[in-house]
Amino acid sequence: MNPTPVIAIHGGAGTILRSALTADAEAQYHAALQAILQAGQRILADGGSALDAVTEAVRLLEDCPLFNAGHGAVFTSAGTHELDASMMDGVTLEAGAICCVTRVKNPVLAARRVLEASEHVLFTGAGAEAFAAAQGLEFVDPSYFHTDARYQQWLNARGSQGTMLDHDAASLDGPIDPDKKFGTVGAVACDARGHVAAATSTGGMTNKQPGRVGDAPLIGAGCYANDATCAVSTTGTGEMFMRMLAAYDVSARMEYRGASLEEAAREVVMERLPRIEGRGGLIAVDAQGNVTLPFNTEGMYRGFARVGETPVTAIYR
Ligand code: ASP
């Protein structure tokens, strides 16, 4: 039997405390998540592929300044922006990713072109931008990625000398605890044919060193999709997700051990990652249309929508 198509998205995890997010900010996040889920839902309802649904959802998340990807990307220690994105198709196991780009408006679209038009999987820096230009993608001046909220965050982070995950400060303009700051966006979907896909995009961590690459553009760490198991997109302390191959580990637990989607995702987020102080979460779907959104932080901007049903969005635990 064909599954009911479903899409899930995240906008980053971290110390998002109810007490620190204003009602207005909270409403803005819910509204953005709802609108983006509805866009994904429409693609799936019209018979679109999981790959198309996750591409469009992540493109919209990149364009929204509330999230640390595309337009809302965080600052490096040099005061610049370096963006990373990846995507994978569960049907063919084809994948595409780019990292350290500074002028590509929508990194996820570049990842999609790598998946479709290149024999390679990952391009970095100048080579990634040359590829994106050859593919006719839209470029912007680096100042496009400047948002005042992230700039303030960066000034705070510089004062404390650390790197930060994007959403650890409950309010974008509040003081930031250096150990608490993640962002990143992602989407996973299962379409009407039971095919799955995943996409992840990020500005990385506030005040990261130039050239630092996290899990988001690495297939198996921040993104993975396989029709035989699941599609996964992660957010959190990228270095720990890389060391745990977190996204692939969810799939491997299903494939090798017969774990359910929920069990596999819970083990990775609640048991494996905490062993090395990995903080964050992930979203995952399988080819039967099951969805799970576990995280081990105080909050994760997240939601899912099945075709024909009202989207569900949430922020806190
Ligand atoms: N995982 C991302 C990175 O390490 C950060 C995040 O999820 O906010 O670049």
Side-chain angles (χ1 to χ4, degrees), residues 9 27-37 61 64 66-67:
I9 60 175
Q28 281 182 37
Y29 277 105
H30 279 292
L33 293 169
Q34 282 276 342
I36 293 166
L37 283 168
L61 285 157
C64 177
L66 293 175
F67 303 107

Side-chain angles (χ1 to χ4, degrees), residues 61-315:
L61 285 157
E62 286 178 342
D63 285 351
C64 177
L66 293 175
F67 303 107
N68 168 23
H71 185 45
V74 296
F75 286 77
T76 68
S77 62
T80 56
H81 303 275
E82 294 182 353
L83 293 85
D84 308 329
S86 60
M87 66 165 34
M88 186 159 181
D89 183 357
V91 186
T92 56
L93 303 187
E94 283 172 333
I98 48 113
C99 62
C100 293
V101 297
T102 59
R103 294 183 307 121
V104 177
K105 179 172 183 237
N106 288 107
V108 73
L109 298 183
R112 174 81 186 248
R113 292 312 298 151
V114 176
L115 183 154
E116 286 175 334
S118 167
E119 59 183 310
H120 303 303
V121 169
L122 173 63
F123 284 95
T124 184
E129 296 198 333
F131 175 83
Q135 293 293 318
L137 292 180
E138 186 174 351
F139 276 60
V140 287
D141 186 83
S143 61
Y144 167 77
F145 299 111
H146 177 109
T147 51
D148 290 341
R150 302 291 179 214
Y151 185 66
Q152 196 52 49
Q153 245 176 26
W154 175 60
L155 293 180
N156 294 352
R158 282 211 306 177
S160 69
Q161 303 292 322
T163 54
M164 301 182 170
L165 289 164
D166 179 56
H167 289 307
D168 271 350
S171 138
L172 278 180
D173 32 62
I176 290 169
D177 178 337
D179 316 295
K180 307 177 184 162
K181 218 49 279 283
F182 331 84
T184 293
V185 305
V188 293
C190 170
D191 64 28
R193 289 171 293 279
H195 296 318
V196 300
T200 307
S201 178
T202 192
M205 290 167 68
T206 295
N207 211 32
K208 68 183 180 181
Q209 283 180 41
R212 176 267 185 188
V213 176
D215 59 326
L218 301 184
I219 299 302
C223 178
Y224 192 75
N226 181 347
D227 277 4
T229 52
C230 60
V232 180
S233 170
T234 69
T235 175
T237 45
E239 281 70 10
M240 317 313 160
F241 283 68
M242 288 154 84
R243 288 161 58 195
M244 285 291 180
L245 270 176
Y248 179 70
D249 196 23
V250 176
S251 169
R253 279 158 198 273
M254 295 175 71
E255 185 165 0
Y256 303 151
R257 234 198 41 220
S260 69
L261 178 79
E262 196 178 337
E263 236 176 345
R266 187 189 50 75
E267 286 168 0
V268 170
V269 174
M270 302 308 220
E271 292 170 25
R272 296 253 307 152
L273 282 163
R275 271 185 225 159
I276 55 167
E277 292 176 22
R279 296 181 61 243
L282 58 81
I283 55 173
V285 297
D286 65 18
Q288 287 70 52
N290 294 303
V291 180
T292 187
L293 315 127
F295 54 98
N296 62 28
T297 47
E298 280 73 6
M300 179 166 85
Y301 296 104
R302 64 197 185 279
F304 69 93
R306 290 183 199 286
V307 165
E309 293 177 18
T310 309
V312 177
T313 59
I315 300 176

